Amino acid sequence: MIETILPGAVTAVDTFTDPPQATLFPEEESLISAAVHKRRAEFTTGRWCARQAMRRIGHRPSAILPGPRGEPRWPDGLVGSITHCPGYRAAVVAPTARVTTVGIDAEVHEPAPPGVLEAVSQPEERDHLAALRRDHPGVHWDRLLFSAKESVYKAWYPLTARWLDFEDARVTFYPATATFTARLDVTGARLHGADLTGFTGRWVIGNGLLVTAITILEPALAAA
């Protein structure tokens, strides 16, 4: 599912189940040993997807341990992202020679819980979503906004090692192309010799799910 919104430089593996053959490295197991079954399944299958993707690009599978804010720490030479929600797990990886950063997120396609939209959005975004709901009522735009901002953070953090609040990125959706932009309201990050002012992403909806993705290619590949 997720591969439809990613460039060819990124390798994706996703699953709608928790495969019985999915296992963890001992150092990963020690981190999750006391977790409830739901958390164990998410963590284990997410890592399993990541290692399947690593194999596909000829990279030796290895443990993927969390960093200071829980972000996956990828082996040297790789970038990637992992997501999970009820009924879906996915991971993407790419060589750093081809991809600068990537962020993905999956959510169940249903309305966001009460209060979430107000917590993650600016007033202008809520006005934007109100217009989208009138013109495209079949999409749960509040949940899609949450997912897009999760993808923004996952693409942002590896570049900066800095926290980014939901309100620090202002998202605009373009239904005709199933794309979105995120304008950053924070400064200080630079990318490829220029200030990083925002991201462009894509989304797909199907199987009761919505998935968002942001990919920034290395300059030589992007210009090709």
Side-chain angles (χ1 to χ4, degrees), residues 21 27 29 55 60 109 131-133 139 159 176 187 210:
Q21 67 270 29
E27 53 267 53
E29 180 68 40
R55 286 190 179 96
R60 180 181 176 184
H109 188 214
L132 289 169
R133 282 194 294 270
V139 176
L159 299 174
T187 59
L210 58 85

Side-chain angles (χ1 to χ4, degrees), residues 18-38:
D18 293 311
Q21 67 270 29
T23 58
L24 295 173
F25 279 70
E27 53 267 53
E28 295 170 329
E29 180 68 40
S30 67
L31 297 173
I32 205 75
S33 59
V36 299
H37 174 75
K38 176 179 179 291

Side-chain angles (χ1 to χ4, degrees), residues 100-189:
T100 303
T101 191
V102 59
I104 64 170
D105 185 72
E107 304 288 334
V108 176
H109 188 214
E110 60 187 27
V116 168
L117 177 61
E118 291 74 18
V120 304
S121 64
Q122 297 280 10
E124 69 185 65
E125 292 175 309
R126 295 193 284 275
D127 291 343
H128 174 53
L129 265 57
L132 289 169
R133 282 194 294 270
R134 289 194 299 268
D135 297 336
H136 306 275
V139 176
H140 295 298
W141 293 101
D142 54 351
R143 183 75 74 159
L144 189 62
L145 178 70
F146 178 85
S147 181
K149 293 201 173 189
E150 284 287 302
S151 286
V152 167
Y153 178 75
K154 291 180 180 182
W156 157 274
Y157 189 81
L159 299 174
T160 64
R162 290 168 46 194
W163 181 255
L164 186 75
D165 286 328
F166 283 110
E167 298 89 343
D168 290 334
R170 304 188 186 215
V171 171
T172 302
F173 292 107
Y174 303 94
T177 55
T179 60
F180 64 91
T181 58
R183 187 177 76 251
L184 296 174
D185 289 338
V186 293
T187 59

Side-chain angles (χ1 to χ4, degrees), residues 5 9 11 15 25-26 49 53 82 109 159 169 178 206 213:
I5 56 172
T11 298
T15 177
F25 279 70
C49 289
I82 300 174
H109 188 214
L159 299 174

Side-chain angles (χ1 to χ4, degrees), residues 64-125:
I64 305 168
L65 301 177
R69 293 194 176 271
E71 77 284 0
R73 291 188 296 178
W74 299 96
D76 289 344
L78 292 182
V79 294
S81 187
I82 300 174
T83 189
H84 52 73
C85 69
Y88 187 72
R89 303 22 173 134
V92 299
V93 297
T96 54
R98 306 190 72 194
V99 174
T100 303
T101 191
V102 59
I104 64 170
D105 185 72
E107 304 288 334
V108 176
H109 188 214
E110 60 187 27
V116 168
L117 177 61
E118 291 74 18
V120 304
S121 64
Q122 297 280 10
E124 69 185 65
E125 292 175 309

